[in-house]
Amino acid sequence: MNRAAFDDHSKYHRYAEFHAIANALISKCGSQCSKEVIGKSIENRDIIAYKLGSNSANPMIFMDGGIHAREWISPATLLYIMDQVISDPQYRSLLDSWNLVFVPLANPDGYEYTHTSNRMWRKNRRPGRACYGVDLNRNFEFKFGGTGSSGSQCSDVYRGVSAFSEPETQAIRNFVLRNKSAIKAFWSVHSYGQYWLHPFGYAFGVNPNNVAELLSAAQTGARALQSVNGRRYTVGHSADLLYPAAGGSDDWAISIGIRYAYTLELPDTGRYGFVLPPAQIVSVGRETLAGLAAFLRAV
Ligand code: ING
Ligand code: ZN
């Protein structure tokens, strides 16, 4: 496979095709890039981390995408960013000072289910007595069980039986803990709303010690992002701006000592919502990459 940049970003790909494209990009990248199967989903699909950058002395940013099945713009944007960083010399130089780790399809079973059966599915595909699915972004350990999560299997924010009960969150946990000393930044990429959110998400008004630097790096990133297409982002505290939700991945990342952890809510602001037309993948990808590059330069 030998695709030029932009060729693969006109549609939302199924799981198999998505990883075929990502694999081709890793091959094209050469010795500076690699991939790793970090776990298996409930339905036994591979959960894959793609690593761009090979200097182990550099800091790492970890990005999860597609934790929520229906938020298709999230994996598509991460795939676009992987492509551009590998293919465009202007962005390739980011790898001189960073290692970028992408887990773009963190909920592969849910993602496939949104393609075959229910476009609005959010959770994973854990079978249950009454209903399927655990909300993976309520299944992380920090403040597990708190506000904004549910103990009812049929809820869209069902937290699961215990923290890290799901193989998909275990895969992220294990990778992140193994690389903890290198990970300086953590992004959990969602849609929609156009927000750049910092922890803590579990309660109103509770901030990490380094809230000032979290905010200022996010503002730097958001300014660069907005300058590309003029799409506005709101920067701030996730519970205060959206709603409180315990058990999210960014709160957990901060709680284990990762310095810069965020949730990004990609476009749009509600016109199309989760069903963003694929014609917007490239414009969202371009602005998000500009935001990422500015953020990485700032921290
Ligand atoms: N939004 C996030 C969610 O999991 C969030 C927002 C993240 C709130 C972390 C609080 C903490 O509900 C989407 N779109 O999933
Ligand atoms: Zn989400």
Side-chain angles (χ1 to χ4, degrees), residues 33-181:
C33 298
S34 58
K35 75 166 221 189
E36 181 184 330
V37 177
I38 62 168
K40 295 270 194 180
S41 66
I42 291 266
E43 294 174 351
N44 211 35
R45 292 185 177 89
D46 286 346
I47 299 168
I48 303 173
Y50 297 98
K51 184 174 170 189
L52 280 52
S54 58
N55 183 344
S56 58
N58 283 338
M60 183 180 283
I61 178 169
F62 178 93
M63 289 166 273
D64 67 67
I67 267 198
H68 291 138
R70 64 193 173 193
E71 300 168 9
W72 287 5
I73 191 61
S74 159
T77 298
L78 293 184
L79 187 65
Y80 175 88
I81 291 174
M82 287 174 58
D83 188 356
Q84 291 305 109
V85 170
I86 288 167
S87 308
D88 182 339
Q90 186 201 327
Y91 288 113
R92 182 80 176 234
S93 59
L94 285 171
L95 306 186
D96 296 342
S97 43
W98 282 89
N99 296 315
L100 315 183
V101 173
F102 300 83
V103 180
L105 284 177
N107 175 12
D109 303 342
Y111 186 72
E112 284 294 278
Y113 192 70
T114 59
H115 283 267
T116 59
S117 306
N118 178 356
R119 179 65 184 82
M120 285 299 133
W121 192 255
R122 168 176 165 99
K123 302 185 285 179
N124 76 350
R125 291 295 295 162
R126 161 81 67 190
R129 248 193 310 279
C131 290
Y132 273 63
V134 168
D135 183 347
L136 299 175
N137 212 32
R138 302 293 181 272
N139 191 242
F140 286 74
E141 190 169 42
F142 186 70
K143 302 288 175 181
F144 176 84
T147 312
S149 72
S150 169
S152 308
Q153 225 171 53
C154 299
S155 166
D156 236 3
V157 290
Y158 174 51
R159 67 178 81 102
V161 293
S162 56
F164 293 122
S165 57
E166 303 311 294
E168 296 88 356
T169 53
Q170 290 166 16
I172 293 173
R173 175 197 61 188
N174 295 345
F175 180 90
V176 168
L177 290 179
R178 189 153 38 84
N179 292 280
K180 196 179 117 156
S181 61

